Amino acid sequence: EIIQSTPRSRKLLAAALATVAAGKLSSGNAADAEPLLARAEPLDPGNAVVLRDLGIARLTLGKPADAATILDRAIKLDQSPQAFLLAARAHALAGDLAAARPLYDRAVDLASRSESGTLHSGGDKESGIEVSLDWAASELGPGGDPTIAVTALERTAPLVKSGPLAARHKLALATARHAAALQALEAGNGAKALELMRASVQGEATLAARCDLAVAAVAANGAIAALTALKAISGQSCPFPPPADTQAAPILIAFTEGLSPRRAPRA
């Protein structure tokens, strides 16, 4: 290549560099793979595999903004769900969720079922679930929107059957609904918070979820539902700042009963 550069020599050198780099990536050595791929990329700029692996290396090395630039080029050549997922993840890790969301959406669309019930060309149900899990995780981080996380996971729920991936999806959906419920509670929408918390508890009935369900029930102004939920956590230590950890349930029971003239003396 140094003696005389030709299209064939450049392509062969790029392929050799990419092959060596792929071996280093698969063994967890992104630091050594990255310069090899950076050298291969200008030799064969239309090689989607080189661009993808360079993006993966930079993501692994904690350089998401640099990875996003490369992966945005990769998705113009590689229309697979995995390519769009990588680009979305890079933008999300770089703090640009506005750019990440349409890429996640495209990845889910490519991987999941079409409206007709048939798989898209190259469709892969498990890939669709993985994309929704990744998307939800990004929305539950700083600057994210938990309601979008819930929507993304509910979108792939029909694809979930059984096994470890189904368990991960169930837990992620419960977590996202819990976060969305707290957001609704902070916004003063008790009815929506209660709806989301009930769904969250069905997926993962942790003490934290049951405690927040009780608070949401109080905020929703449903005395029977509130008292049922509060009595279910009475005597337990909720993950609230003290003294609310032990006093929230009895105080809220008294508050709820106090709203009824018949129960006011008891309160």
Side-chain angles (χ1 to χ4, degrees), residues 198-238:
R198 279 175 171 160
S200 175
V201 168
Q202 286 178 357
E204 187 75 4
T206 62
L207 177 60
R210 291 187 292 115
C211 289
D212 285 336
L213 170 64
V215 175
V218 173
N221 295 319
I224 295 175
L227 288 171
T228 299
L230 286 164
K231 288 174 182 177
I233 61 167
S234 186
Q236 301 184 69
S237 181
C238 287

Side-chain angles (χ1 to χ4, degrees), residues 22-36:
K24 293 184 181 297
L25 269 182
S26 64
S27 65
N29 192 352
D32 285 347
E34 197 266 350
L36 296 172

Side-chain angles (χ1 to χ4, degrees), residues 82 111-112 123-133 159 162 165:
Q82 292 79 10
S112 59
D124 179 348
K125 291 187 289 184
E126 288 196 356
S127 290
I129 298 166
E130 289 283 8
V131 172
S132 68
L133 289 168
L159 306 178
S162 60
L165 195 58

Side-chain angles (χ1 to χ4, degrees), residues 53-99:
D53 286 356
L54 180 55
I56 291 171
R58 288 179 175 171
L59 276 173
T60 306
L61 294 171
K63 299 188 283 188
D66 292 339
T69 302
I70 290 293
L71 291 166
D72 282 345
R73 289 173 53 200
I75 58 176
K76 294 177 181 177
L77 303 167
D78 178 3
Q79 297 286 302
S80 69
Q82 292 79 10
F84 278 93
L85 169 59
L86 286 166
R89 183 182 297 167
H91 281 287
L93 291 173
D96 189 359
L97 278 170

